[in-house]
Amino acid sequence: MMSCVPVDHKSETGEACANCGTHGSDTVKLKNCTACCLVKYCGVDCQRAHRKQHKKACKQRAAELKDEELYGQGHERLEGDFCPICTLPILIPMNKHSGFNTCCMKRICHGCDLAARKRGMGDCPFCRSPRPAHGPAGDAAILAMVSDCPPRRGVQEDR
């Protein structure tokens, strides 16, 4: 009996049936196991006869293929969806799990902000600018910080 290992499509001996060892040729067409593609069979009878030996490896490889398919179809997150300090993705909804700093225009996760405060840093954890006060004076300071920022590339100023 042959083992259930991935089939080498260009081996020196050619392809062979996993059950009987018949080599593939112009007259004998070997077909892949449809679930895992690990082995080939010359017919349904050989596939049924080899099922007991192949079942465990087949199920494992089929699960791996399914995982690859599921994990490969997701969307990539934008650069702004990651904390610039710890580089981990910010959980969704982002407003609940992070804060936006007007000084550096960065979104920092609450974990990095908390770690900075525990170390005694009251400034912005990213750019180290002092945090504006609360109230009207703080609002004016925030507006001044935002208006001092250089315009982004491709965005024209209205001055």
Side-chain angles (χ1 to χ4, degrees):
M1 295 289 167
M2 301 186 89
S3 64
C4 299
V5 293
V7 177
D8 184 12
H9 294 287
K10 302 292 180 193
S11 65
E12 295 173 10
T13 59
E15 300 170 337
C17 175
N19 186 50
C20 65
T22 303
H23 290 279
S25 64
D26 293 335
T27 56
V28 178
K29 297 289 183 189
L30 298 177
K31 295 180 182 175
N32 284 330
C33 172
T34 55
C36 68
C37 300
L38 285 175
V39 294
K40 293 187 176 253
Y41 296 105
C42 60
V44 177
D45 294 335
C46 280
Q47 187 173 5
R48 285 184 184 138
H50 190 249
R51 180 71 183 146
K52 274 191 174 179
Q53 292 91 8
H54 177 62
K55 187 176 182 178
K56 185 176 179 181
C58 184
K59 282 188 176 188
Q60 182 179 354
R61 180 63 184 150
E64 290 170 3
L65 290 172
K66 184 69 174 170
D67 286 347
E68 288 172 15
E69 179 186 342
L70 289 174
Y71 291 123
Q73 68 185 3
H75 300 287
E76 291 190 25
R77 296 187 71 174
L78 299 174
E79 183 180 339
D81 291 354
F82 294 86
C83 175
I85 297 173
C86 65
T87 67
L88 294 174
I90 299 172
L91 297 175
I92 298 175
M94 289 178 48
N95 290 338
K96 185 178 177 185
H97 299 283
S98 64
F100 187 77
N101 294 334
T102 54
C103 50
C104 55
M105 306 301 269
K106 300 286 184 186
R107 183 171 288 282
I108 309 292
C109 71
H110 288 320
C112 290
D113 190 39
L114 179 65
R117 287 177 192 261
K118 280 188 172 184
R119 286 190 206 112
M121 183 173 34
D123 302 334
C124 172
F126 186 77
C127 68
R128 311 273 169 100
S129 296
R131 294 182 194 260
H134 293 290
D139 292 343
I142 290 171
L143 186 58
M145 276 191 242
V146 173
S147 63
D148 287 343
C149 290
R152 294 188 290 187
R153 277 191 210 154
V155 178
Q156 294 182 354
E157 275 189 53
D158 293 336
R159 290 185 185 173

